[in-house]
Amino acid sequence: MVPDIVDRLRDMAGPIKPNICTEAADEIERLREERDEARQGYCRCLANHDMRTAATIASQVGWDCFKESSK
């Protein structure tokens, strides 16, 4: 399995913080959170007009936006 780009950036950063690698990793994580919130909202909207749950809809389209973050 290929390491996640955020993990790779943090590994490259080394002990000097902040730096461009940690800033990039932080920004990627922020954008992923925004994306997941948007996906959750979309799935909840569909679930209001459907018999499926929002998490089921997300799973069916291949999104894992309802899984807990490991960080």
Side-chain angles (χ1 to χ4, degrees), residues 1-16:
M1 183 173 156
V2 177
D4 183 70
I5 191 167
V6 171
D7 295 331
R8 291 173 40 215
L9 285 167
R10 292 197 191 289
D11 288 343
M12 287 175 44
I16 301 171

Side-chain angles (χ1 to χ4, degrees), residues 8-68:
R8 291 173 40 215
L9 285 167
R10 292 197 191 289
D11 288 343
M12 287 175 44
I16 301 171
K17 296 179 183 168
N19 65 44
I20 192 70
C21 291
T22 57
E23 290 174 15
D26 291 345
E27 184 66 9
I28 290 168
E29 287 180 334
R30 184 188 69 75
L31 290 169
R32 285 177 176 173
E33 288 175 16
E34 282 186 17
R35 177 205 61 202
D36 285 348
E37 288 174 10
R39 286 177 172 180
Q40 288 172 3
Y42 174 79
C43 292
R44 286 186 183 111
C45 182
L46 285 180
N48 286 337
H49 304 285
D50 200 314
M51 295 301 293
R52 299 173 292 172
T53 66
T56 298
I57 293 168
S59 176
Q60 289 173 342
V61 295
W63 295 340
D64 64 355
C65 56
F66 285 98
K67 292 185 180 177
E68 289 296 318

